[in-house]
């Protein structure tokens, strides 16, 4: 069996297990074990497991993941989301489709202290959906907006997928966060523009302009003050060199907890739930790490990456065409896998290929730009059928809206995503400008 045939067999086993609803971490582990044992036998496989598990989980950098997750749960349980939506509604409420735009703004602001797409979508949906329904927004637009806006939770730093990319590729987390800020803001503005165009082209999706809508008040500014303070403390401290990203995550979690205490929203049951939910999410991610490590070990033994690099070089494609092909592959893979699994499984394969191409930029800049491009396209899998995890979460929290309507609702936002991805593909400087300013 050739190396590429073996790789095909490994992926075939993984996809077969996923098709019968075996958890992704277990599917990757079993497929990786099959490939590793096939090439080396049982004893080398056992030694690899013994050493790799400790080496992976002994990494200090991994602690940033549960800390940012805990920060997001404190924000969720601390009643911060309603203040965000009220402030955003005061900003955009007088525009046609203004409350939907407010949901986008609220998701963007919440994403600045959360780092999880699903958590952002679920949290803001609980606050915004009753208001959108009460004001006459269609179920299609409301659910589509909240599902798409939830992806801002991973586009705007802190971002758990971006942290994982940094760990896998040994890149600077602070630089990746800086590179994601401008694309994240562009995503937010693109979603708001998509809403403005959609409500004018498709009648009956949003109410007419409410000229008596409440504007900004002093209390609305006070309500979002904790978010602004936390963001300044965490990211200001990181880029001022006061602490590392891992220390910044710890400071952010503690600051968010203090903010929840000040708002008197956190209770003992909610406090415990924050830690239980963090442990649950972290365990899931770390199990996927183990499964991905085993699969990547099997793929490394097969030397498939070297053969793929040679194959890509032999095609004679331009570097941008190669990256575009990889991004299309991510979009297709997003139909059957979640974003964390995709990154853990594919980055060890695609990253060496991309780093071997000449883009006319320093290698570190290429690595940072490619990370942002991957982040841009893995969100497609959160919205597009048949998986569309964000769509399922938002639709499940909304009564009376068929899932097909929710998928129709995200289509304008997928168009916005496509345009933004193409712009960032051809103009890498958009991602890299702020890196040079802040670092």
């Amino acid at each position: 069996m050739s190396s590429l045939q073996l790789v095909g067999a490994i992926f075939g086993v993984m996809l077969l297990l996923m098709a019968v609803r075996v958890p992704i971490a277990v599917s990757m582990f079993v497929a990786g074990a099959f490939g590793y044992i096939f090439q080396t036998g049982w004893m080398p496989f056992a030694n690899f497991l013994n050493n790799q598990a400790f080496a992976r989980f002994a990494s200090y950098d991994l602690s940033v993941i549960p800390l940012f997750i805990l920060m997001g749960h404190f924000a969720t349980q601390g009643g911060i989301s309603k203040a965000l939506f009220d402030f955003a509604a005061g900003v955009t409420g007088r525009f046609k489709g203004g409350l939907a735009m407010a949901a986008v703004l609220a998701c963007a602001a919440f994403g600045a202290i959360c780092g999880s797409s699903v958590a952002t979508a679920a949290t803001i949906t609980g606050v915004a959906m009753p208001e959108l329904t009460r004001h006459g927004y269609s179920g299609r637009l409301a659910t589509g907006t909240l599902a798409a806006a939830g992806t801002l939770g991973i586009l705007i730093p802190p971002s758990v997928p971006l942290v994982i990319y940094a760990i896998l590729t040994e890149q600077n987390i602070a630089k990746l966060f800086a590179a994601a800020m401008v694309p994240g803001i562009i995503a937010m503005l693109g979603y708001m523009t998509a809403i403005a165009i959609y409500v004018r082209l498709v009648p009956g999706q949003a109410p007419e302009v409410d000229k008596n809508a409440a504007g900004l008040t002093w209390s609305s500014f006070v309500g979002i003050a904790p978010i602004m303070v936390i963001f300044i403390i965490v990211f200001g401290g990181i880029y001022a060199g006061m602490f590392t990203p891992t220390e910044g995550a710890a400071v952010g979690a503690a600051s968010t907890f203090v903010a929840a205490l000040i708002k008197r929203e956190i209770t003992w049951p909610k406090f415990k739930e924050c830690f239980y939910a963090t442990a649950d999410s972290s365990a899931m991610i770390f199990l996927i790490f183990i499964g991905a490590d085993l699969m990547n070990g099997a793929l490394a033994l097969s030397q498939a990456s070297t053969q793929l690099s040679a194959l890509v070089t032999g095609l004679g494609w331009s570097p941008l065409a190669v990256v575009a092909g990889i991004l299309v592959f991510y979009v297709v893979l997003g139909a059957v896998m979640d974003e964390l699994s995709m990154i853990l499984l594919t980055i060890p394969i695609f990253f060496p290929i991309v780093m071997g191409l000449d883009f006319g930029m320093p290698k570190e800049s290429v690595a940072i730009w490619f990370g942002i491009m991957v982040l841009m396209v893995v969100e497609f899998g959160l919205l597009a059928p048949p998986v569309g995890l964000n769509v399922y979460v938002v639709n499940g929290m909304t009564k009376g809206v068929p899932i097909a309507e929710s998928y129709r609702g995200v289509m304008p936002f997928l168009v916005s995503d496509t345009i933004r991805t193409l712009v960032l593909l051809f103009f890498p400087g958009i991602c890299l400008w702020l890196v040079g300013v802040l670092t």
Side-chain angles (χ1 to χ4, degrees):
M1 183 181 293
S2 69
S3 296
L4 293 180
Q5 287 175 329
L6 177 60
V7 170
I10 292 173
F11 275 94
V13 171
M14 182 191 71
L15 293 175
L16 178 62
L17 291 172
M18 289 172 58
V20 296
R21 297 186 178 277
V22 175
I24 180 66
V26 178
S27 299
M28 295 168 73
F29 185 92
V30 172
F34 157 76
Y36 208 102
I37 293 169
F38 182 84
Q39 296 176 87
T40 66
W42 281 98
M43 287 307 298
F45 167 70
N47 289 331
F48 176 82
L49 278 185
N50 181 50
N51 296 325
Q52 183 61 28
F54 176 80
R56 170 60 68 190
F57 295 142
S59 172
Y60 171 76
D61 292 337
L62 271 186
S63 60
V64 74
I65 295 175
L67 287 171
F68 274 132
I69 293 174
L70 180 61
M71 180 177 169
H73 283 299
F74 279 147
T76 301
Q77 299 288 351
I80 294 175
S81 53
K82 187 178 189 308
L84 286 175
F85 182 73
D86 290 343
F87 177 83
V91 174
T92 62
R94 296 178 183 271
F95 299 102
K96 187 173 177 63
L99 278 186
M101 296 179 190
V104 174
L105 282 174
C107 284
F110 193 80
I113 57 171
C114 182
S116 167
S117 174
V118 172
T120 299
T123 301
I124 302 301
T125 295
V127 176
M129 183 57 74
E131 291 298 308
L132 291 169
T133 302
R134 186 169 66 86
H135 283 82
Y137 284 77
S138 70
R140 177 191 301 182
L141 177 60
T143 55
T145 296
L146 290 165
T151 63
L152 296 172
I154 63 171
L155 296 183
I156 294 178
S159 167
V160 172
L162 208 54
V163 169
I164 292 175
Y165 176 87
I167 293 171
L168 291 175
T169 60
E170 299 181 350
Q171 298 301 312
N172 186 290
I173 295 176
K175 291 184 178 181
L176 282 164
F177 280 178
M181 286 183 184
V182 173
I185 293 172
I186 292 174
M188 177 190 73
L189 296 176
Y191 287 165
M192 294 173 69
T193 302
I195 292 169
I197 295 173
Y198 184 74
V199 296
R200 285 164 175 78
L201 294 180
V202 184
Q205 298 297 308
E208 294 301 317
V209 177
D210 183 3
K211 296 181 179 180
N212 297 318
L216 290 175
T217 62
W218 175 249
S219 62
S220 64
F221 280 102
V222 172
I224 67 162
I227 304 294
M228 299 172 62
V229 171
I230 292 169
F231 188 84
I232 292 171
I233 290 175
V234 174
F235 291 99
I238 290 174
Y239 294 112
M242 296 173 61
F243 37 72
T244 66
T246 303
E247 293 165 346
V251 171
S255 301
T256 309
F257 174 63
V258 171
L261 285 178
I262 293 173
K263 291 179 68 67
R264 299 182 180 180
E265 292 283 347
I266 198 78
T267 61
W268 178 245
K270 287 183 177 181
F271 179 77
K272 292 192 295 183
E273 176 59 27
C274 289
F275 281 92
Y276 288 146
T278 298
D280 185 64
S281 299
S282 300
M284 180 269 293
I285 293 172
F286 289 172
L287 280 175
I288 294 176
F289 259 117
I290 288 294
D293 282 344
L294 188 53
M295 276 203 69
N296 290 326
L299 296 177
L301 284 173
S302 71
Q303 297 185 337
S305 297
T306 303
Q307 295 187 28
L308 284 173
S309 297
L311 180 62
V312 169
T313 303
L315 291 174
W317 289 6
S318 69
L320 281 181
V322 173
V323 173
I326 292 173
L327 298 182
V328 170
F329 177 80
Y330 272 114
V331 173
V332 175
L333 195 61
V336 294
M337 296 182 72
D338 64 88
E339 72 273 17
L340 296 180
S341 303
M342 283 193 290
I343 291 174
L344 284 164
L345 181 62
T346 60
I347 289 301
I349 299 173
F350 290 145
F351 185 74
I353 295 175
V354 172
M355 294 305 291
L357 302 173
D358 183 13
F359 292 89
M361 297 187 293
K363 292 300 182 183
E364 183 185 41
S365 297
V366 173
I368 292 172
W369 168 69
F370 181 63
I372 302 304
M373 294 307 304
V374 171
L375 190 68
M376 293 295 111
V377 293
V378 296
E379 67 169 297
F380 276 73
L382 293 167
L383 300 178
V387 177
L389 183 57
N390 270 25
V391 180
Y392 275 104
V393 169
V394 173
N395 184 268
M397 296 177 65
T398 308
K399 296 180 179 179
V401 181
I403 189 69
E405 280 293 286
S406 296
Y407 277 123
R408 292 189 184 97
V410 300
M411 291 305 165
F413 302 100
L414 289 176
V415 173
S416 175
D417 288 340
T418 302
I419 295 172
R420 182 182 70 254
T421 302
L422 290 174
V423 169
L424 295 176
L425 176 65
F426 290 106
F427 300 99
I430 296 174
C431 302
L432 300 173
W433 169 76
L434 196 58
V435 179
V437 173
L438 295 179
T439 59

